[in-house]
Amino acid sequence: MSNKPVLYGYSPSSYVFSVRILLAGKSVAYDQVPLDVIAGEPRSAEHRRLHPFGKVPVLVHDGLRMLETSAIMRYINDAFGGASFIPDNPRDRARMDMAMGLHESYGYAAMARVVGYHRFPKFAGHPSREDVEGELERLHTLFAELMRLRGDSPYIAGDLPSLADFFVAPACFYLEEVGETGRFLDLPGFAEWWARVNALPEYQTVLPDLSQWGEQAG
């Protein structure tokens, strides 16, 4: 059986993006099956055999089928060689876990709704600008908490980048793409952290191609 993992999900997907940053950081060769979320491809009967709720990413490796981004990322970190992106002490691991949990609970849906307003209004249910302002306020609260959690550390969970930075970075990338990061730049530490993450080679290597990104008219 091949040791080469297979990643299901198209690259612009925020959570797939997070997994790809980590795979690049670990220098893991993998195959990818692109499934366009906006086109509804993950909801196909074929993909539902891999993920019963029709979501991405899914990672398959040595017969093990993995769902949920945080579990997939922990597995990749532990299963493959190279640098570890999980802190080696309980305090920083707790910071990493808190950041990932906060983003998953309060950040992802808000980010998706803001981005949907700009690029995929039909898919997002036609949110209003008022809806978007509420989501941006929630994101402001989230990023303020993440920066408070980071404190004086260069990265969210310590001196080195961790799964937490990779987990949150795609949301910031997309908010920047739609011109909605302005209100976060005044948060203490946010601009410095985001510039630092932007400079990571594993992040730069996997930036998605957005040339066909957005709903098409007609």
Side-chain angles (χ1 to χ4, degrees):
M1 183 177 292
S2 172
N3 284 329
K4 198 173 183 182
V6 179
L7 176 65
Y8 292 81
Y10 83 148
S11 296
S13 165
S14 176
Y15 283 137
V16 174
F17 190 175
S18 290
V19 172
R20 293 180 69 241
I21 297 170
L22 178 59
L23 287 164
K26 298 286 284 184
S27 299
V28 176
Y30 62 97
D31 293 322
Q32 187 171 352
V33 179
L35 294 164
D36 189 332
V37 174
I38 304 302
E41 291 176 354
R43 297 195 296 272
S44 70
E46 181 181 3
H47 185 67
R48 283 182 185 272
R49 286 192 285 271
L50 288 174
H51 197 306
F53 296 100
K55 301 291 186 179
V56 295
V58 173
L59 188 78
V60 176
H61 182 231
D62 277 354
L64 176 63
R65 174 179 57 93
M66 284 161 277
L67 315 179
E68 298 305 309
T69 306
S70 57
I72 290 169
M73 293 176 75
R74 283 183 171 276
Y75 175 84
I76 291 169
N77 187 81
D78 294 344
F80 298 96
S84 174
F85 293 96
I86 294 178
D88 62 2
N89 65 85
R91 183 183 181 89
D92 289 346
R93 282 197 301 274
R95 289 201 285 169
M96 181 191 79
D97 289 338
M98 282 190 284
M100 293 172 74
L102 285 165
H103 176 66
E104 194 156 31
S105 295
Y106 309 109
Y108 173 77
M111 176 278 297
R113 198 157 174 79
V114 172
V115 172
Y117 168 80
H118 289 279
R119 299 290 185 170
F120 308 102
K122 181 179 178 181
F123 183 81
H126 297 287
S128 66
R129 186 65 210 185
E130 184 179 2
D131 294 330
V132 168
E133 288 299 320
E135 302 295 6
L136 288 169
E137 199 56 42
R138 276 182 276 278
L139 286 164
H140 191 276
T141 300
L142 170 69
F143 291 135
E145 183 61 25
L146 292 181
M147 291 304 103
R148 185 168 71 171
L149 186 63
R150 182 173 74 90
D152 295 329
S153 300
Y155 296 98
I156 289 176
D159 293 336
L160 299 172
S162 75
L163 303 188
D165 302 288
F166 300 165
F167 206 68
V168 177
C172 298
F173 170 81
Y174 283 114
L175 290 168
E176 191 170 70
E177 283 292 319
V178 298
E180 295 284 11
T181 53
R183 71 183 64 197
F184 310 128
L185 297 178
D186 66 336
L187 289 169
F190 180 86
E192 292 84 355
W193 167 80
W194 183 224
R196 195 171 288 119
V197 172
N198 260 292
L200 292 172
E202 53 265 48
Y203 171 81
Q204 286 292 327
T205 297
V206 299
L207 291 176
D209 177 7
L210 300 182
S211 59
Q212 301 298 318
W213 192 58
E215 288 176 2
Q216 305 301 311

